[in-house]
Amino acid sequence: GDDLVIRTGVVLPTFRETPDDALETAARAFAAGVDGVFCYDHIWPMGQPNRPALAPFPILAALAASLDVPPTSGGGPYFGTLVARVGLVPNGVLRGQFIALAHLAPGRVIAGLGTGDRLNEAENLAYGVPYTHAAERRGDMVDLARELRVQGLIVWLAGGAAARIEEARAAGAALNVWAADPSIVADRSQGADALEVTWGGPPPKDGVSLSATVGVLARAGATWAIFGWPIDPALLVAAAREADAADGMVRGA
């Protein structure tokens, strides 16, 4: 139910020529009990214009329409973007894509939205898409987030490197942070001005325990721990269950 300490997610491998790896990874993740699968939204992998990048919505829609997945303990399976980039297409187009996806998986679509940054500018310009001022992109992100929330979607707003909270607060959405230190998660998720904070990041480096990472994030107050591929989905689910058990022991003490 909703009393889970932390939910789990996997970012699918979509920097590929075909969706085969992404679909296979999703099936494996859901079979292990992972709560959600997510897709990046890039024209090419960061800084690598010669490599392919599959669009997120067709893959998420194919999964939502075809997977016969039993419900997860966290209320899933969920299908999300991490993150769909405002300004790459008009807000109306992005909104339409999310609404269409939500028809396939009602109540289980997570609209992770972001504005991109200077590292994404070349992607826009290569395709003749204007790269507007950051403040304008943030305003568009809040507008779209509000529209999607009215439509009943779960919305997360990326806070960027500084883990900005203004946009998430303005939209009534959760704050999503990428590879942020757990102390930042704790700072944003606790206290009088607390927001829901979801965490995404690359797979742990060699020697760093997945279980320890998830446990630290859970204690910091993150409601989701989402890792890029490759990751062992069974170990990820086990780590979340450990964090839940530890939390239960603390509450029972």
Side-chain angles (χ1 to χ4, degrees), residues 204-213:
K205 291 186 170 61
D206 291 343
V208 177
S209 156
L210 184 60
S211 178
T213 303

Side-chain angles (χ1 to χ4, degrees), residues 121-141:
E121 184 176 8
E123 286 179 74
N124 284 48
L125 299 183
Y127 284 84
V129 179
Y131 188 75
T132 56
H133 191 274
E136 187 179 331
R137 299 198 309 277
R138 287 197 289 262
D140 283 346
M141 181 172 69

Side-chain angles (χ1 to χ4, degrees), residues 165 169 185-196:
I165 58 173
R169 183 157 287 134
V185 174
D187 183 65
R188 304 292 189 269
S189 67
Q190 297 168 22
D193 293 332
L195 282 172
E196 180 185 355

